[in-house]
Amino acid sequence: MYKTFIAIVSALGLAGIAVAQQGVFQTKSLTPETALVAAKAAMESCRKQGYQVAVAVVDRAGITQVLLRDRFAGAHTVEVAANKAWTAASFRTPTAALAAETQPGTPMSGLRNLPRFLAAGGGLVIEAGGSTLGAIAVSGAPGGDADDACARLGIKAIAEAIEF
């Protein structure tokens, strides 16, 4: 009888732990150092092509971790990069895809009225191990495709560090 009692109490205790574990979750985040590596790599990629840009890296919630602006990048590039990164992180979608999906007359066109929403190429989601870690965005290269290419090289620079 005592052994049965202990088994029941133990089972109930373990069930309580399982319920408590379901009430929370864990997420992975970029370290500021990793975010900085990505931003520097993206900026360097653009520099090599003769582009003066701003680069923003945000965490999974869209909060800016790193923002770099090259010497001669336009003043607007700071806000544009930050908003592209926020948009990519918030919607977990590259901003070039959102640009296509939110054209006037489409069902999702209303998203363009949201504050900070910026539907133009250059913002990419940073993902690893099936988790969204944040986003990176570039502004100032000649067009969204060029911004995307620089951002992609920023992600490539941290690929080994973020795989888990």
Side-chain angles (χ1 to χ4, degrees):
M1 178 80 169
Y2 180 72
K3 288 181 181 181
T4 304
F5 176 74
I6 295 297
I8 291 172
V9 170
S10 295
L12 290 174
L14 292 175
I17 290 172
V19 170
Q21 289 176 346
Q22 292 175 2
V24 298
F25 66 94
Q26 293 180 329
T27 61
K28 301 281 186 179
S29 298
L30 294 175
T31 64
E33 294 81 11
T34 302
L36 182 58
V37 168
K40 284 182 174 181
M43 181 176 283
E44 188 57 35
S45 169
C46 278
R47 273 186 182 170
K48 286 179 181 175
Q49 299 174 68
Y51 310 145
Q52 293 282 303
V53 300
V55 181
V57 179
V58 299
D59 66 14
R60 60 183 284 115
I63 300 170
T64 303
Q65 285 189 286
V66 173
L67 180 63
L68 299 176
R69 180 187 157 271
D70 218 340
R71 294 173 294 254
F72 303 114
H76 66 283
T77 62
V78 171
E79 186 173 354
V80 171
N83 287 345
K84 284 182 188 181
W86 177 87
T87 301
S90 179
F91 288 88
R92 309 281 194 261
T93 305
T95 55
L98 289 168
E101 294 170 11
T102 61
Q103 289 295 313
T106 64
M108 293 179 46
S109 64
L111 292 175
R112 289 180 176 242
N113 297 320
L114 289 174
R116 296 201 68 189
F117 185 87
L118 212 153
L124 300 175
V125 180
I126 301 172
E127 298 174 307
S131 295
T132 299
L133 303 177
I136 184 170
V138 174
S139 174
D145 290 342
D147 286 341
D148 270 346
C150 293
R152 212 171 276 108
L153 288 173
I155 295 171
K156 184 177 178 182
I158 61 170
E160 281 188 34
I162 63 174
E163 285 303 319
F164 49 90

